[in-house]
């Protein structure tokens, strides 16, 4: 690194001092905090993104969002060249940068890291960062801090994509690194044309949704509703009403949105007894999560939740059907059998795991956090992953896609319009519709709608695929949550010693009992999960296990 670069870094970073007494940590969803504390972090994330761009010789993304958090928070996360999350190897550096006490220490860290990673500031490559933000009012001023960070690596360029959903930004990074234009319009066109293709391939022809069968979407007063509106202009065959679109007076994520609906299991604002029985869906604040629900009766505000596990089950069923259509009717090509796998976390309802296994599917479990699920799903030819909270997608391997393209061509010349060829076309359309970079509420919504139309299913029928086991979650405040170390995808506790045996003997008292504990990645608590054959039993198991946490680690529980 030359002297000019060093002095630029020293000078610009002195304008963004870190706030006192705050420790930043690049968690599962990047840096997140009260927006007023984030200027220096965002500035430093800009530097990191530029370094990552030089290292990978690719475009990098920087997304400013705090997803489902309250409106006064904000956050920043980095998208790698593939459109996925920042590589885990760089997370410790991200932490160190964000917490460097002053400009001198910051510069020293950068110099050391650049040397270790062999990052060359030779000017041969022009680093480029795509910037996106959600609708939070703090986004605009933080954008300036991010740009300053990017510009303090000499020659780097930041391209502002404006207000976008998190998955849009990840998609754009991936698309541009593959040589596509990667504009918002291209994103909308890819989604709408692949949706149209799936609908055209419905046996017996496509059926436009009737006015009575419309889908009502809660946009969380965030970016998703607005983007869904734009997308709908390119779509026909779908009847969607967007509420809480962000244009009205409601506040982002307050009493609305996928996180609220999934955790509280009550109707979001602006939904009521007039919506009984209708198909409803809810996006989160940055539109990377989606859950469906129905309002079952006027007697209470409770909803029937159709969560990420059910979305996963619907997708798995459809993909499996297409694969078996593809491999039937005289397929000579037995040399290659695509490997389909589904990925869940310990939070997946036990009934969903049983259902998926009952379909003959391979089910893998990973720790909580998108990066773990995504990584595991990428090991399959077709890997479907979802968290119960509604974040997930379907990944297709390059090998499978190129086999499928060839297969489709072969079938088109031998038996154009056959069941087999239609299955190939459907799978190709799904691979274009569903975001390959990260879970995307808009593309998941379109795929759910296409599959429901294909099958002629109501939301009630879909929800009846299996009955969720009653479950309960509790948070326990402890002295030190890092004292809990888990193993086997968070289903077992390795430390402190003895607690797992105690949990096992509690759980054994309940039919269909299952329980686990894990330290939260986003809050200073231990989370307890329990499920059992009745709600009372699940509640009682959760509270006994919470007492065990208290006994082994605690101060008090809440
Ligand atoms: C983050 C994760 C989400 C996970 C949640 C768990 C990403 C992008 N997001 O929001 O996947 O479900 O954390 O929170 O990875 P917890 O550790 O507090 O339970
Ligand atoms: Mg989100």
């Amino acid at each position: 690194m030359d002297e000019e670069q060093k002095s630029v870094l020293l000078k610009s970073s002195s304008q963004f001092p870190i706030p006192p007494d705050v420790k930043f940590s690049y968690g599962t969803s990047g840096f997140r905090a009260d927006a007023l504390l984030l200027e220096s972090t965002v500035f430093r994330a800009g530097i990191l993104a530029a370094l990552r761009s030089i290292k990978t010789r690719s475009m990098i993304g920087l997304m400013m969002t705090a997803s489902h958090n309250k409106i006064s928070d904000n956050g920043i996360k980095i998208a790698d060249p593939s459109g996925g999350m920042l590589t885990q190897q760089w997370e410790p550096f991200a932490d160190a940068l964000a917490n460097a006490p002053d400009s001198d220490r910051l510069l020293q860290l950068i110099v050391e890291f650049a040397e270790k990673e062999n990052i060359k500031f030779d000017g041969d490559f022009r680093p480029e960062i795509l910037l996106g933000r959600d609708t939070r009012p703090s986004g605009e001023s933080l954008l300036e801090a991010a740009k300053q960070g990017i510009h303090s690596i000499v020659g780097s360029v930041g391209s502002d994509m404006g207000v976008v959903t998190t998955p849009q930004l990840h998609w754009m990074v991936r698309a541009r690194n593959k040589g596509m234009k990667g504009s918002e319009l291209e994103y909308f066109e890819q989604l709408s044309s692949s949706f149209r293709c799936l609908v055209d391939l419905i046996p017996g022809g496509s059926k436009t949704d009737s006015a009575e069968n419309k889908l009502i979407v809660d946009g969380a007063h965030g970016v998703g509703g607005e983007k869904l509106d734009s997308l709908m202009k390119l779509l026909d065959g779908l009847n969607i009403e967007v509420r809480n679109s962000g244009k009205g007076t409601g506040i982002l994520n307050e009493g609305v949105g996928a996180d609220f609906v999934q955790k509280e299991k009550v109707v979001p604002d602006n939904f009521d007894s007039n919506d009984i029985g209708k198909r409803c869906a809810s996006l989160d604040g940055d539109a990377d999560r989606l859950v469906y629900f129905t309002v079952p009766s006027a007697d209470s505000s409770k909803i029937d939740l159709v969560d990420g596990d059910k979305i996963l089950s619907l997708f798995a069923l459809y993909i499996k059907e297409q694969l078996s259509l593809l491999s039937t009717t005289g397929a000579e090509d037995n040399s290659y059998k695509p490997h389909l796998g589904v990925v869940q976390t310990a939070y997946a309802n036990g009934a969903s795991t049983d259902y998926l296994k009952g379909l003959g599917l391979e089910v893998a479990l990973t720790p909580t956090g998108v990066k773990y699920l995504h990584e595991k799903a990428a090991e399959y030819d077709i890997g479907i992953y979802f968290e119960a909270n509604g974040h997930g997608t379907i990944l297709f391997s390059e090998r499978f896609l190129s086999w499928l393209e060839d297969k489709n061509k072969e079938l088109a010349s031998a038996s154009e319009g056959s069941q087999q060829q239609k299955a190939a076309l459907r799978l190709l359309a799904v691979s274009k519709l569903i975001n390959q970079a990260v879970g995307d509420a808009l593309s998941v919504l379109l795929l759910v709608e296409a599959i429901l139309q294909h099958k002629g299913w109501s939301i009630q029928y879909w929800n009846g695929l299996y009955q969720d086991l009653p479950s309960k979650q509790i948070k326990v405040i402890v002295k030190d949550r890092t004292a809990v170390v888990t193993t086997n995808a968070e289903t077992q506790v390795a430390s402190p010693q003895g607690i797992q045996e105690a949990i096992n003997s509690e759980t054994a008292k309940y039919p269909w009992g299952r329980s686990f504990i894990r330290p939260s990645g986003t809050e200073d608590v231990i989370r307890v999960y329990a499920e059992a054959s009745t709600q009372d039993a699940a509640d009682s198991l959760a509270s006994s296990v919470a007492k065990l946490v208290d006994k082994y680690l605690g101060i008090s529980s809440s």
Side-chain angles (χ1 to χ4, degrees):
M1 187 187 292
D2 64 19
E3 291 311 311
E4 185 209 341
Q5 172 65 79
K6 284 184 186 165
S7 88
V8 172
L9 270 168
L10 279 176
K11 192 158 166 243
S12 58
S13 60
S14 65
Q15 287 159 38
F16 295 95
I18 64 166
D21 306 323
V22 192
K23 180 142 196 314
F24 295 102
S25 147
Y26 196 89
T28 40
S29 35
F31 294 111
R32 246 183 233 187
D34 188 304
L36 296 171
L37 299 172
L38 274 176
E39 261 206 336
S40 68
T41 316
V42 167
F43 166 81
R44 291 164 184 210
I47 298 178
L48 185 133
L51 295 174
R52 185 85 190 129
S53 177
I54 299 178
K55 170 74 190 184
T56 59
R57 307 246 140 191
S58 305
M59 204 173 279
I60 294 292
L62 258 190
M63 180 71 198
M64 253 161 297
T65 175
S67 182
H68 55 275
N69 285 34
K70 56 184 188 293
I71 190 163
S72 52
D73 283 356
N74 214 326
I76 187 139
K77 56 183 162 191
I78 293 151
D80 249 3
S82 65
M85 307 287 178
L86 172 70
T87 176
Q88 290 170 47
Q89 280 99 24
W90 276 45
E91 286 182 8
F93 177 57
D95 285 344
L97 267 197
N99 294 302
D102 52 45
S103 300
D104 288 333
R105 181 71 191 127
L106 186 76
L107 178 62
Q108 190 193 346
L109 274 170
I110 296 170
V111 170
E112 283 168 12
F113 186 75
E115 216 167 275
K116 185 176 133 239
E117 285 285 324
N118 202 14
I119 296 172
K120 297 229 163 25
F121 299 88
D122 51 16
D124 281 0
F125 174 78
R126 193 185 66 156
E128 191 174 349
I129 319 300
L130 290 192
L131 292 145
R133 64 197 143 94
D134 69 15
T135 53
R136 288 178 157 77
S138 55
E140 220 160 317
S141 65
L142 287 175
L143 177 75
E144 281 314 306
K147 281 187 180 162
Q148 297 280 327
I150 293 167
H151 295 151
S152 38
I153 297 297
V154 177
S156 303
V157 197
S159 305
D160 181 15
M161 298 293 107
V163 173
V164 287
T165 70
T166 295
Q168 274 187 310
L169 188 83
H170 285 260
W171 184 94
M172 287 168 177
V173 169
R174 181 184 172 87
R176 287 180 188 219
N177 282 319
K178 281 180 171 286
M180 292 159 65
K181 234 170 55 217
S183 63
E184 179 166 83
L185 184 63
E186 210 174 26
Y187 168 87
F188 286 144
E189 280 173 353
Q190 181 166 325
L191 263 62
S192 56
S193 63
S194 43
F195 173 77
R196 166 68 23 221
C197 180
L198 284 176
V199 170
D200 286 345
L201 287 162
I202 291 176
S206 79
K207 316 155 196 86
T208 303
D209 263 359
S210 62
E212 307 83 68
N213 190 34
K214 75 175 169 196
L215 168 70
I216 310 172
V217 179
D218 157 28
H221 298 303
V223 55
E226 183 193 313
K227 298 299 176 187
L228 186 55
D229 271 336
S230 314
L231 181 56
M232 270 155 49
K233 296 200 177 95
L234 299 176
L235 285 172
D236 40 44
L238 257 194
N239 196 340
I240 299 181
E241 176 187 339
V242 181
R243 296 189 193 156
N244 306 330
S245 71
K247 290 190 202 121
T249 52
I251 296 172
L252 177 71
N253 298 332
E254 264 192 39
V256 293
D259 191 64
F260 171 82
V261 165
Q262 192 243 348
K263 290 222 171 83
E264 308 297 327
K265 297 199 176 70
V266 296
V267 286
D269 277 357
N270 299 314
F271 285 72
D272 57 31
S273 54
N274 291 319
D275 303 315
I276 289 175
K278 291 182 188 161
R279 195 166 74 261
C280 304
S282 196
L283 315 173
D284 78 335
D286 62 339
D288 66 348
R289 283 204 216 168
L290 175 76
V291 293
Y292 275 71
F293 65 94
T294 55
V295 184
S297 81
D299 305 340
S300 86
S301 58
K302 284 276 165 207
I303 53 156
D304 279 344
L305 178 70
V306 185
D307 65 1
D309 300 340
K310 280 259 159 72
I311 298 177
L312 167 59
S313 301
L314 184 73
F315 286 3
L317 199 65
Y318 181 78
I319 298 284
K320 191 170 179 289
E321 276 172 12
Q322 302 316 313
L323 284 176
S324 50
L325 280 175
L326 195 60
S327 66
T328 52
T329 52
E332 317 77 39
D333 181 11
N334 290 326
S335 52
Y336 175 60
K337 290 235 177 334
H339 192 184
L340 169 64
V342 297
V343 186
Q344 301 189 298
T345 72
Y347 285 111
N349 196 278
S352 77
T353 312
D354 287 349
Y355 175 79
L356 292 163
K357 287 186 174 159
L359 293 177
L361 290 167
E362 187 176 322
V363 183
L365 278 197
T366 70
T368 304
V370 171
K371 60 189 171 195
Y372 302 113
L373 289 121
H374 193 95
E375 192 174 74
K376 183 68 196 171
E379 290 175 12
Y380 299 98
D381 290 311
I382 308 178
I384 315 177
Y385 74 85
F386 265 87
E387 290 192 304
N389 66 23
H391 187 114
T393 194
I394 310 176
L395 299 182
F396 292 84
S397 72
E398 294 290 342
R399 172 172 178 240
F400 173 68
L401 286 178
S402 73
W403 174 83
L404 190 60
E405 297 273 7
D406 290 348
K407 186 89 190 157
N408 179 45
K409 280 188 206 125
E410 187 190 302
L411 289 165
S413 55
S415 55
E416 172 104 55
S418 66
Q419 279 308 320
Q420 242 185 314
Q421 200 224 343
K422 284 185 179 165
L425 286 171
R426 286 190 196 108
L427 289 168
L428 285 169
V430 173
S431 77
K432 297 197 175 80
L433 172 56
I434 204 86
N435 198 319
Q436 296 296 290
V438 74
D440 180 342
L442 299 186
S443 69
V444 169
L445 181 146
L446 292 185
L447 185 55
V448 168
E449 292 300 308
I451 298 177
L452 291 180
Q453 283 194 24
H454 180 105
K455 293 193 158 290
W457 283 2
S458 65
I459 184 168
Q460 286 81 7
Y461 189 88
W462 168 29
N463 197 26
L465 284 182
Y466 60 83
Q467 292 301 321
D468 277 327
L469 280 166
S471 66
K472 174 76 178 175
Q473 291 195 48
I474 305 185
K475 306 183 208 182
V476 186
I477 298 167
V478 295
K479 269 184 245 134
D480 176 15
R481 78 183 199 276
T482 62
V484 172
V485 181
T486 61
T487 151
N488 287 346
E490 302 179 325
T491 56
Q492 303 277 319
V493 187
S495 160
Q497 291 218 333
I499 190 168
Q500 186 58 52
E501 289 70 24
I503 295 174
N504 291 347
S505 61
E506 254 336 291
T507 309
K509 295 177 190 163
Y510 298 86
W512 295 97
R514 184 170 73 91
S515 182
F516 66 89
I517 64 169
R518 55 176 282 276
S520 159
T522 62
E523 274 184 84
D524 200 9
V525 295
I526 296 293
R527 295 199 195 282
V528 174
Y529 177 91
E531 67 187 29
S533 57
T534 65
Q535 190 61 55
D536 283 350
D539 292 353
S540 147
L541 176 56
S543 100
S544 313
V545 173
K547 285 196 189 107
L548 290 173
V549 174
D550 230 4
K551 178 173 153 203
Y552 279 79
L553 294 132
I555 26 180
S556 61
S557 56
S558 72

